[in-house]
Amino acid sequence: MKRRMIAIILASVMTVALAACQSSGNDGTKNDSIPTETGEENPVETEEVRSDDEEEQVAGSIEALMELEADSSRRSTANTNEKYDKITVPNDEISDLQPYHNLSGAKNAITIEIYEALFDLTADKELVPRLAKSYKEIDDTHFQVEIYDYISDSEGNHITADDVVFSYQLNQESGYAEDFGFFKSVEAIDDYTVEFVWNEPITSLTALNSMMNYVCIVSEKAYGEHDFATDPVGTGPYVVDNFTTGVSVTIKAREDYWQTDELRNELAKANVEEIEFDILADTSMQLIALESGSLDYCDITTQNLESYITNDKYNVYSLPNSFNINLLLNYSEDSPCSDLNLRLAIYYAIDNSTIVEALGSDAYYPCSVNASRIMSDYDYAWENEENYNTVYDVELAKEYLEKSSYNGETLVILTNSLEAQKNAATVILGFLQGVGINAEISVQEPPAVNGVASDSTAWDLWVNAGTSSSGYAITRTATDLLASMSNNGGCKIFAEDDELQTMIDKCNSQAGYSIEATEAVYDYIHEKAYDYGLFGNIKIYAFTPDFASFETWYNSSAFVFGACDYYLD
């Protein structure tokens, strides 16, 4: 069966959903189609699924934009000791600059300039020392790291092993220590050496890298004296100069950065004197600002790309995104979604191709599993398999709903406040109402979502963002469904399924990984209706021509603007 798709625009769905949210209650009326703004029904249309060759051609044409070769004959930050004066870039709304929960691309773009971890990761997922001077594995459950003895933060606080221990404790207590299932403890052995203790030998593809790369190291003294949400103090090459909530964040290069030129890796450079992040999420406003000269780059993914590619005023660059969005359902007895038939009804009632059309098909693509297409083992054949993630079927959804124990309860759709997730939740709301399922949306700021999600009574459906720290598709699934990778010690959907845990744990291990094992996990997930891959995205940007080369965070989730090179002539 080919995937069916309703021809729909976001505005019409928003009208229906907002009307439902603003009413005093839901009457449970079943709607087989979604009305347009004129009140007419949109016909159900069919669309052929792209062939593998066509998908690869699309991906290839975008990847071709990813090369930017610097002109070595021109004076630039790459061949002088000078810095570029200032760049201004757009950013989404962020609520804090705390040194944990740095998985948001918007927040990560800033925090990677002001904080540092013990290690960086290369594109090949190899650990590269940053604050660490050296490391050694003592045995299967003990791992020692020595840091440099002259590290200081932007206030001159000397960083010691005690600060490393404090930072890891801070991360653990924050509730955002994902992929820390093997972590037992860390202690200072001497002033500059810490020893990590694992609760069992690490077999995971990702756990060691996650524990070494994702924890920002801060001074315990500075953390006690400052509100790091708005006034952070880090060891990185930049310091926050101004943070006006909802308006902008400005960072400046440190004159006293502790690293020497010999130690600086590519991500630790400070080639710009000042970087201003303007909170400007609206793409149309970004374009106006870019063309007026008040921004140095912006997202043009859904715009007329050819006009920018052929315009000498801009360089065009594509940043593949390892993040994707999926839909999780609450499996606990606190939710009606503990009923398998209701879960299947919900999933068959949703068409992620429609969601993509609503969000912008130039910027987003529907996922057939919970993984981004840029994962190294992503298989386009998954997109042609027949299951609820690839087949939209209203009548089948109604059949499952009739067989379920659902009794008109209002389901809560949890989402963060970022536009893509929030708008996707709105479209999903319309789909649910279309088959007779009552629902409402709970919008949370990104830092608060995990806390709300850990409460099994607070949500029924979760529009959830994530990535893969290993670069393999299975790890994206593991971040949601493997208890040892969760920040609350349990599976995010509250499913107590030993077979699921065993399958994912084995596939996400160095010894047990294979594409066949990954496919077996997906088959089991579809059998139990554990999750639904919604969409991924590929961002295309226009830059002013002063950018000579780009540096990105290892998983391509953000540009490292301080580390990019710039022309000075």
Side-chain angles (χ1 to χ4, degrees):
M1 178 187 295
K2 296 292 186 182
R3 179 195 291 269
R4 293 187 293 159
M5 182 175 113
I6 298 176
I8 186 175
I9 60 172
L10 183 57
S12 63
V13 177
M14 291 282 283
T15 301
V16 173
L18 289 175
C21 292
Q22 292 167 357
S23 66
S24 59
N26 294 303
D27 61 10
T29 302
K30 294 185 179 182
N31 299 311
D32 293 337
S33 58
I34 300 173
T36 66
E37 291 176 300
T38 63
E40 298 177 353
E41 291 185 349
N42 277 322
V44 175
E45 298 180 356
T46 60
E47 177 174 282
E48 290 296 310
V49 178
R50 283 176 175 167
S51 69
D52 294 351
D53 288 343
E54 288 172 328
E55 293 288 7
E56 289 171 1
Q57 287 171 9
V58 172
S61 65
I62 293 175
E63 288 168 3
L65 298 175
M66 292 175 56
E67 300 298 326
L68 179 66
E69 294 185 9
D71 183 349
S72 59
S73 67
R74 296 181 59 184
R75 189 167 64 89
S76 71
T77 55
N79 54 33
T80 70
N81 292 322
E82 300 175 54
K83 288 181 171 61
Y84 193 80
D85 290 336
K86 180 181 179 179
I87 63 168
T88 303
V89 298
N91 206 355
D92 291 332
E93 177 68 77
I94 55 172
S95 59
D96 73 85
L97 294 172
Q98 286 282 5
Y100 44 76
H101 187 47
N102 294 326
L103 296 180
S104 155
K107 181 177 176 181
N108 198 30
I110 303 172
T111 55
I112 57 179
E113 308 278 11
I114 60 178
Y115 296 118
E116 294 175 303
L118 294 175
F119 296 85
D120 283 328
L121 284 178
T122 68
D124 296 325
K125 291 83 181 176
E126 297 292 331
L127 289 171
V128 177
R130 181 77 171 249
L131 298 179
K133 181 178 181 181
S134 63
Y135 65 96
K136 60 182 176 180
E137 185 176 354
I138 305 303
D139 55 40
D140 285 348
T141 57
H142 293 80
F143 189 84
Q144 284 189 0
V145 177
E146 180 186 4
I147 64 172
Y148 289 98
D149 60 7
Y150 54 90
I151 302 170
S152 61
D153 66 20
S154 57
E155 285 200 334
N157 296 301
H158 187 57
I159 303 298
T160 68
D162 287 336
D163 295 305
V164 176
V165 172
F166 169 76
S167 299
Y168 273 82
Q169 291 172 341
L170 183 68
N171 186 64
Q172 286 291 100
E173 294 167 1
S174 73
Y176 292 102
E178 295 193 358
D179 205 7
F180 267 63
F182 292 92
F183 181 86
K184 182 176 181 181
S185 63
V186 59
E187 63 176 325
I189 301 301
D190 57 39
D191 286 347
Y192 303 104
T193 306
V194 295
E195 182 169 284
F196 293 90
V197 181
W198 318 132
N199 52 39
E200 61 180 290
I202 294 177
T203 57
S204 163
L205 288 169
T206 62
L208 181 62
N209 288 351
S210 295
M211 291 185 286
M212 295 295 104
N213 172 247
Y214 287 140
V215 180
C216 301
I217 306 303
V218 298
S219 160
E220 182 175 6
K221 177 178 179 292
Y223 197 83
E225 295 174 348
H226 291 258
D227 179 1
F228 271 48
T230 57
D231 184 26
V233 178
T235 65
Y238 284 85
V239 60
V240 174
D241 184 59
N242 180 68
F243 182 11
T244 303
T245 305
V247 179
S248 66
V249 180
T250 302
I251 61 176
K252 288 189 175 182
R254 286 177 56 186
E255 297 297 329
D256 60 346
Y257 182 49
W258 67 274
Q259 279 207 30
T260 64
D261 289 340
E262 290 74 19
L263 285 176
R264 287 200 186 194
N265 62 33
E266 293 301 313
L267 298 180
K269 293 179 179 179
N271 290 329
V272 186
E273 188 65 44
E274 182 176 332
I275 306 172
E276 179 179 322
F277 298 86
D278 284 352
I279 310 305
L280 195 62
D282 183 84
T283 304
S284 60
M285 295 302 295
Q286 287 185 22
L287 287 170
I288 293 171
L290 176 72
E291 292 172 3
S292 70
S294 57
L295 282 183
D296 290 289
Y297 100 111
C298 82
D299 178 0
I300 59 166
T301 305
T302 60
Q303 308 305 313
N304 182 354
L305 302 184
E306 185 177 357
S307 66
Y308 288 91
I309 293 172
T310 58
N311 190 332
D312 291 339
K313 288 175 58 179
Y314 306 107
N315 289 319
V316 176
Y317 189 87
S318 173
L319 183 64
N321 201 324
S322 60
F323 280 81
N324 73 286
I325 312 299
N326 70 324
L327 182 65
L328 298 176
L329 300 183
N330 185 338
Y331 194 82
S332 78
E333 291 303 318
D334 293 322
S335 170
C337 294
S338 59
D339 185 325
L340 172 61
N341 286 317
L342 179 58
R343 296 200 301 275
L344 288 169
I346 290 171
Y347 285 153
Y348 274 110
I350 297 169
D351 179 23
N352 57 5
S353 289
T354 297
I355 295 172
V356 165
E357 288 297 315
L359 298 179
S361 58
D362 290 333
Y364 300 93
Y365 59 86
C367 290
S368 57
V369 295
N370 181 20
S372 164
R373 284 178 177 170
I374 74 163
M375 296 298 101
S376 59
D377 58 348
Y378 186 89
D379 187 348
Y380 280 96
W382 294 335
E383 301 185 5
N384 293 319
E385 294 180 0
E386 291 190 10
N387 53 62
Y388 60 72
N389 211 143
T390 57
V391 176
Y392 163 65
D393 194 323
V394 170
E395 295 307 316
L396 187 56
K398 290 179 179 180
E399 289 179 21
Y400 279 117
L401 184 62
E402 187 67 27
K403 291 190 292 185
S404 77
S405 58
Y406 177 71
N407 195 32
E409 299 93 334
T410 298
L411 305 184
V412 176
I413 305 172
L414 175 64
T415 180
N416 69 31
S417 59
L418 299 180
E419 287 301 309
Q421 285 96 303
K422 187 170 62 176
N423 290 342
T426 303
V427 181
I428 290 169
L429 176 63
F431 278 125
L432 297 186
Q433 292 175 333
V435 296
I437 298 174
N438 300 323
E440 63 185 16
I441 299 173
S442 172
V443 180
Q444 304 290 331
E445 291 302 313
V449 168
N450 275 14
V452 174
S454 64
D455 180 358
S456 63
T457 67
W459 62 279
D460 301 290
L461 297 83
W462 180 9
V463 180
N464 171 57
T467 186
S468 167
S469 52
S470 71
Y472 295 110
I474 186 62
T475 304
R476 172 66 184 96
T477 295
T479 59
D480 292 334
L481 301 182
L482 186 62
S484 63
M485 290 185 70
S486 172
N487 57 30
N488 61 12
C491 178
K492 284 185 178 179
I493 61 172
F494 310 106
E496 297 181 3
D497 185 334
D498 292 340
E499 184 174 356
L500 174 72
Q501 296 298 309
T502 299
M503 290 180 71
I504 298 178
D505 191 46
K506 181 179 179 180
C507 186
N508 195 47
S509 70
Q510 299 167 19
Y513 168 79
S514 70
I515 190 63
E516 292 78 15
T518 302
E519 291 171 345
V521 170
Y522 288 150
D523 288 343
Y524 188 79
I525 287 172
H526 291 142
E527 176 187 340
K528 300 291 187 178
Y530 278 144
D531 80 6
Y532 181 110
L534 286 172
F535 56 88
N537 72 312
I538 299 176
K539 296 288 189 179
I540 303 175
Y541 302 94
F543 289 82
T544 56
D546 282 351
F547 283 81
S549 67
F550 296 116
E551 286 291 339
T552 63
W553 196 235
Y554 86 97
N555 63 1
S556 298
S557 62
F559 288 103
V560 186
F561 289 106
C564 297
D565 277 310
Y566 303 84
Y567 293 117
L568 300 170
D569 52 14

